[in-house]
Amino acid sequence: MADLIHIVYLSYSVKELSESELNSLLATIRRKNEVQNITGLLLYNDEAFIQVIEGNRETIHQIFDLISKDSRHSNIVKLLEEPITKRAFPDWSMGFRKIDKEQNLQLPGFSDFMHTDKSTVSMKGITKEVMHLLNSFRKHT
């Protein structure tokens, strides 16, 4: 797959989402992602999202641009963007898991980054940490 990348980002919902709203959002995302050949993972915890989107560079940039302008998100931080040789979530049009604080504490390598007050946290060189968190989540949930 030429020109394959992934972007990992963090954002906050402008309001708490009900189970019904989350399910509706996921249904919409999955339909759109399937059409555009986008795969990934979405985690939701207390109004905070962390998402991995993977696919063609141009398409991923377009999707991230739309997400960045979406009024349902606030404080969007791109954690990681890099080329990849293969997809981490090839069969998931958008894998999803809602996690709570108790589940967070059980994840190896867990960091409370999603709820820190530090807005100037350095994002450079965190590829290993981001992928460790995502892989730990996938393995242990």
Side-chain angles (χ1 to χ4, degrees):
M1 285 188 179
D3 225 16
L4 192 62
I5 69 165
H6 62 197
I7 288 179
V8 180
Y9 73 90
L10 170 70
S11 72
Y12 295 88
S13 176
V14 295
K15 69 177 189 102
E16 187 173 349
L17 299 175
S18 69
E19 201 72 29
S20 174
E21 289 170 313
L22 278 171
N23 289 336
S24 177
L25 174 66
L26 283 168
T28 301
I29 290 170
R30 287 173 174 150
R31 277 192 307 272
K32 289 179 180 180
N33 285 357
E34 190 171 334
V35 169
Q36 297 180 69
N37 196 26
I38 301 303
T39 54
L41 173 67
L42 176 65
L43 307 178
Y44 178 72
N45 177 9
D46 294 333
E47 298 176 30
F49 289 98
I50 187 167
Q51 184 172 23
V52 179
I53 50 177
E54 53 190 17
N56 173 274
R57 176 182 310 277
E58 183 178 328
T59 305
I60 293 298
H61 283 158
Q62 289 170 356
I63 289 171
F64 186 73
D65 186 51
L66 289 173
I67 291 166
S68 298
K69 294 175 183 173
D70 189 328
S71 63
R72 297 173 292 183
H73 292 268
S74 66
N75 300 320
I76 299 170
V77 177
K78 186 190 296 184
L79 301 174
L80 175 67
E81 176 182 339
E82 64 186 3
I84 55 177
T85 57
K86 65 178 187 172
R87 295 173 189 257
F89 309 100
D91 300 322
W92 295 4
S93 62
M94 187 50 59
F96 172 76
R97 180 73 170 218
K98 182 177 178 182
I99 55 177
D100 60 32
K101 290 179 184 174
E102 293 300 316
Q103 291 169 311
N104 279 343
L105 296 173
Q106 296 172 14
L107 292 174
F110 170 73
S111 166
D112 201 22
F113 173 77
M114 291 176 75
H115 296 288
T116 184
D117 291 333
K118 299 176 184 175
S119 60
T120 58
V121 174
S122 173
M123 297 298 150
K124 295 189 184 226
I126 64 165
T127 301
K128 182 178 175 183
E129 289 81 2
V130 168
M131 294 314 293
H132 176 73
L133 177 61
L134 294 170
N135 286 323
S136 292
F137 176 82
R138 182 170 55 174
K139 180 179 177 184
H140 296 286
T141 57

